[in-house]
Amino acid sequence: MTTSFLKTRSLARLPEGRQVSAPEGEAAAPVAAPRWDLSDLYASPEDPAIESDFVRLEHVARTFENRWKGTLGKASPADLAHALQGYEVIEEGLGKIGSYSQLLFAAHTTDPACGRFAQSVRERLTAISAFLLFFPLELNRLDDAALEKGFSENAELASWKPYLRDLRVFRPYQLSDEVERVLMDMAVSGRNAWVRLFDETMAGLMVSFEGKEQPLGDVFNYMTDSDRKKREEAARAISATLAANNKLLVDITNTLAKDKATIDIMRGYPRPVSGRNRANMVEDEVVDALVDAVQSSFSRLSHRYYGMKARWLGLEKLEHWDRNAPLPDVQDRRLSWDEGKAIVQRAYQDFDEEMGRHASTFLNSPWIDAAAVPGKSSGAFAHPVVPSVHPYLLMNYHGRPRDVMTLAHEMGHGIHQMLAGKKQGYLRSDTPLTLAETASVFGEMLTFQSLLDAESDPKRRHHLLASKVEDMLNTVVRQIAFYQFEVQVHDERRRGEIPAERLGEIWRDVQTRSLGPAFSFTPDYDLYWSYIPHFIHSPFYVYAYAFGDCLVNALYGVYQDSPAGFAEKYKEMLAAGGTLRHQELLAPFGLNAGDPSFWNRGLDVISGLIDQLEAEPAA
């Protein structure tokens, strides 16, 4: 997201997926997994096609500006539709180059050459986008009545109504053309530069552990080791590395929070989260209802589950390195890449034949970067790229059941992006974050049920069920706690710079309230807010995970109750992309996110799984 009021996708079309934390799991020998092939975009950073495309797009953008700037208010409906089509072509061309540089950088974050290439691409994209900036600004100045009349007179223009509707949500916060241009230009050496510094710093962090220097993400993998002493040692080693870099990470956080506050005040946003909510096309009240519902359920969800887990582990209190500890007496089975692929393929195929074909296409094409290698972005994401190519998926596959679930999650994103892009095109396929998590979490649920149905061993079933509950708590409770941390940080930053100690206090407070009395947090845990990339990349993104998980829990309940015809309605929902709001998308399923009871329906699913764990003997 640029500092412009609009989602300038050619500059930063955000990947969708799990970038909330470093991968967690037991350390083991690397599992053979594929790297992607980006040649469907460009052959290499030296590919002459990149320079050729830059030159062509700059010429087309200049021509577009000369043709349309200052004329949109007098344009006929047919001319306006023609201008929108031309704008989309240019944006998609810029998006293709930007996507290539982002993906290359994500796969080789510590490579200085890739970093320089990504930065040079950002700078050139910004320069070309300056010729286009007038267009959305002038579109937002068009008279409502005249635009509605144009929709009724011209079917082609009417097809752009959803895009213009979403763009005009930002009308009250739009600044002058000159100020918008300055904000866009300054983002390259301002916000974007700080984000790059964070990414390169985190990718390059090494942790002294077990007598050698290891990447931060690799040491995080020990946080679910069955040996508690090893978990503690890994946690303390991570804490030491975060402490050594704390000043820089605090400075980055304060600088970006101040940058956001300055621009939010200029635009007149009532709250720090307001811009995110408008980008997500969701009302402030709906988000508040979600947060209130989850917070009210802390005791029946996370507090209850982690109390049970402490008993299973034979501990009076859990420390933060016990949160993702494996259950006792269950051997952690490693799944090869081919085994993981087969599980995900079967889950999608059993749900719907067409969805199974899409999954097969992804799994058998070089579109997934799954190898866990040094210097690569941690976590996982799906990048929609452009409709004329295909999405790409990134993850770090270690062979754990959780990695299979991550593959299913990103596969859902990929299929969603492909269906929406094919039907809606580049600009109208962009799905708000609150709905972008729908297909991914639904894919996870399908895969979980497939794994659970295939497991006959009671201990393993109990383990799978507990793992699913933990994933859901991480997705709902933990993300809402992240959100509450961000709210407090951004509120306090408006009053002055926040010292490191205060950031740690806020973090400890939200973690204590959300995870409950089963935990006793050591002081070093105060540092753990600093490695979470979403706080830096896209403030307030995190509540979308909880939104998506609760929404999918309700949606999956509809599927279980009435499977006939569900898949077709589900695929229509995905193919709608960004053309429909959440009320319209959920209406065919009899669901309404504006109803306060909607969120409790989703949270009841998690509570029900915890009920099952309480009723069954522990593994």
Side-chain angles (χ1 to χ4, degrees), residues 9-10 41-42 49-50 53-54 56-57 86-100 121 125 128 132 385-388 426:
R9 294 163 47 159
S10 62
L41 292 166
Y42 295 100
I50 296 175
D53 283 349
F54 264 131
R56 176 180 56 82
L57 289 164
Y87 177 72
E88 181 174 51
V89 170
I90 302 170
E91 282 285 334
E92 181 165 351
L94 297 175
K96 180 181 176 183
I97 304 174
S99 292
Y100 177 70
V121 167
L125 290 176
I128 295 174
L132 305 174
V385 189
V386 293
S388 56
Y426 186 67

Side-chain angles (χ1 to χ4, degrees), residues 461-536:
R461 283 182 59 84
H462 190 275
H463 180 67
L464 279 171
L465 196 60
S467 295
K468 181 59 178 173
V469 168
E470 290 195 17
D471 283 344
M472 295 172 97
L473 293 178
N474 283 337
T475 303
V476 177
V477 170
R478 190 160 165 80
Q479 302 313 313
I480 292 303
F482 286 175
Y483 171 81
Q484 292 174 320
F485 171 80
E486 287 190 279
V487 168
Q488 200 162 344
V489 166
H490 283 273
D491 283 346
E492 291 195 16
R493 184 63 184 91
R494 292 191 174 198
R495 299 192 293 272
E497 189 167 281
I498 308 174
E501 295 75 17
R502 178 58 184 152
L503 288 167
E505 288 174 2
I506 299 170
W507 174 256
R508 188 185 336 119
D509 176 62
V510 297
Q511 294 301 311
T512 300
R513 284 190 288 107
S514 63
L515 296 179
F519 281 89
S520 173
F521 293 112
T522 53
D524 65 302
Y525 192 57
D526 289 3
L527 300 163
Y528 273 64
W529 61 269
S530 62
Y531 77 90
I532 297 170
H534 272 317
F535 296 162
I536 303 299

Side-chain angles (χ1 to χ4, degrees), residues 14-19 380-384 410 413 416-417 430-433 436-437 541 545:
L14 290 169
E16 296 156 353
R18 293 181 166 181
Q19 291 188 303
F381 64 73
H383 195 308
E410 303 310 335
H413 278 310
H416 189 178
Q417 293 159 359
D430 199 21
T431 308
L433 294 178
E437 292 301 323
Y541 183 115
Y545 289 107

Side-chain angles (χ1 to χ4, degrees), residues 19 105-109 203 373 375-381 394-396 537:
Q19 291 188 303
F105 181 68
H108 307 281
T109 307
V373 296
K376 176 181 171 182
S377 177
S378 64
F381 64 73
L394 180 143
M395 64 176 297
N396 291 271
H537 293 163

Side-chain angles (χ1 to χ4, degrees), residues 21-34 214-222 224 332-337 339-340 369-374 376-380 395-407:
S21 64
E24 297 166 335
E26 184 177 345
V31 175
Q214 301 185 47
L216 178 68
D218 288 358
V219 181
F220 259 108
N221 288 331
Y222 288 91
T224 58
D332 187 22
R333 182 187 169 209
R334 294 284 161 173
L335 298 161
S336 70
W337 173 251
E339 288 175 309
D369 197 313
V373 296
K376 176 181 171 182
S377 177
S378 64
M395 64 176 297
N396 291 271
Y397 188 85
H398 296 274
R400 307 155 301 183
R402 273 185 177 167
D403 296 320
V404 177
M405 300 296 284
T406 296
L407 177 60

Side-chain angles (χ1 to χ4, degrees), residues 191-212:
R191 173 177 170 73
N192 293 348
W194 285 97
V195 171
R196 176 188 174 188
L197 175 61
F198 174 85
D199 286 344
E200 292 181 349
T201 298
M202 298 308 294
L205 286 187
M206 302 298 288
V207 178
S208 181
F209 181 65
E210 295 194 323
K212 59 182 178 180

